[in-house]
């Protein structure tokens, strides 16, 4: 995942939280903010210490980044996404994380229309 596709700065996170729209399922909350002037999407990840130690938190973040990498053709450009992991995500494997993320992104309108993603988990 290239640097320009990441949201790193606190101000950028705050802007997405304040101006964005949130959608959630049991495992993730996704804040979406439209940025029509931006030709690509960016993601920011937030995984609380409540979910576990660094190993667990980093695994969740790796899974989410990998999902976005695999789904980059389906994810709508011109948006910023902030993904907040919830407790159940800590016990999930990659395939479950991907399925859950697809579900919440579809709900949020973050996936381009065109049915199923090209490769299944």
């Amino acid at each position: 995942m290239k640097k320009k596709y990441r949201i790193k700065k606190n101000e950028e996170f705050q802007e997405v939280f304040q101006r964005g729209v949130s959608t959630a399922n049991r495992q993730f909350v996704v804040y979406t903010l439209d940025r029509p002037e931006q030709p690509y999407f960016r993601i920011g990840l937030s995984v609380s210490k409540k979910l576990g130690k660094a190993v667990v938190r980093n695994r969740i973040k790796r899974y989410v980044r990998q999902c976005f990498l695999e789904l980059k053709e389906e994810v709508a450009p011109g948006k910023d996404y902030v993904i907040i992991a919830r407790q159940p995500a800590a016990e999930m494997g990659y395939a479950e994380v991907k399925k859950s993320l697809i579900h919440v992104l579809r709900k949020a309108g973050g996936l381009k229309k065109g049915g199923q993603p090209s490769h299944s988990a």
Side-chain angles (χ1 to χ4, degrees):
M1 186 72 38
K2 290 199 180 86
K3 284 267 190 299
K4 70 173 185 176
Y5 299 127
R6 299 246 188 109
I7 299 171
K8 283 286 199 193
K9 295 192 177 86
N10 186 29
E11 307 91 76
E12 294 175 334
F13 272 98
Q14 294 310 320
E15 189 183 2
V16 176
F17 288 140
Q18 281 152 17
R19 294 187 31 228
V21 183
S22 73
T23 312
N25 64 8
R26 260 185 228 99
Q27 296 82 13
F28 297 101
V29 181
V30 175
Y31 282 83
T32 314
L33 179 64
D34 282 327
R35 291 198 178 277
E37 74 287 350
Q38 190 174 272
Y40 48 85
F41 67 84
R42 295 189 312 166
I43 66 166
L45 300 174
S46 171
V47 183
S48 164
K49 285 188 176 177
K50 289 180 193 158
L51 267 64
K53 296 209 179 337
V55 176
V56 176
R57 298 196 308 269
N58 289 336
R59 180 181 342 120
I60 295 169
K61 290 190 276 192
R62 273 200 318 271
Y63 285 171
V64 172
R65 280 192 211 110
Q66 185 60 33
C67 290
F68 269 90
L69 204 63
E70 289 180 17
L71 294 168
K72 70 172 180 271
E73 300 307 315
E74 281 89 15
V75 176
K79 289 179 190 282
D80 279 356
Y81 301 96
V82 172
I83 292 99
I84 301 169
R86 288 178 159 178
Q87 192 59 57
E91 282 90 54
M92 289 163 55
Y94 176 69
E96 296 167 294
V97 167
K98 186 173 179 182
K99 192 174 161 205
S100 174
L101 216 48
I102 289 170
H103 171 253
V104 77
L105 282 171
R106 190 163 283 145
K107 224 165 116 177
L111 292 179
K112 292 176 190 165
K113 304 293 173 265
Q116 287 297 101
S118 50
H119 33 278
S120 57

